[in-house]
Amino acid sequence: MPDLSRPEEPRATKGVIPKVFGLILIFLGAMDSMLAWRGGFSASEFYSILIFCGVLLFAFGSIRQSQTSEATGQATGEEPCSTP
């Protein structure tokens, strides 16, 4: 049986949603631009803006996730220091 006396440590999930939306925007912009290029249309600024916004969102999510993991001690694998 699992030990229910100790509460579980929170996982570092902050920043995951912006990273996922950033990846979606990057793929959407890339696929749309390739489809327009394949169709013989000129590449619009809109596709570049989608990709740029996706990169910004992904970077924001990565920074937020790394700050959360550093605060909980998961980045280095060490436990937070506690003084007696």
Side-chain angles (χ1 to χ4, degrees):
M1 280 181 40
D3 185 17
L4 299 177
S5 62
R6 290 185 351 185
E8 291 185 25
E9 294 182 20
R11 289 186 264 163
T13 56
K14 280 188 176 182
V16 173
I17 293 174
K19 282 176 71 172
V20 170
F21 280 127
L23 281 176
I24 289 171
L25 287 178
I26 291 169
F27 283 126
L28 185 65
M31 295 300 284
D32 282 346
S33 65
M34 285 189 281
L35 185 61
W37 173 61
R38 179 72 176 139
F41 302 116
S42 64
S44 171
E45 292 178 5
F46 179 70
Y47 307 131
S48 302
I49 292 171
L50 271 178
I51 294 170
F52 182 71
C53 289
V55 168
L56 286 178
L57 266 176
F58 187 82
F60 171 73
S62 296
I63 292 169
R64 190 166 179 192
Q65 190 175 22
S66 70
Q67 287 175 347
T68 304
S69 63
E70 286 175 3
T72 58
Q74 294 177 0
T76 59
E78 299 175 358
E79 292 291 325
C81 296
S82 60
T83 56

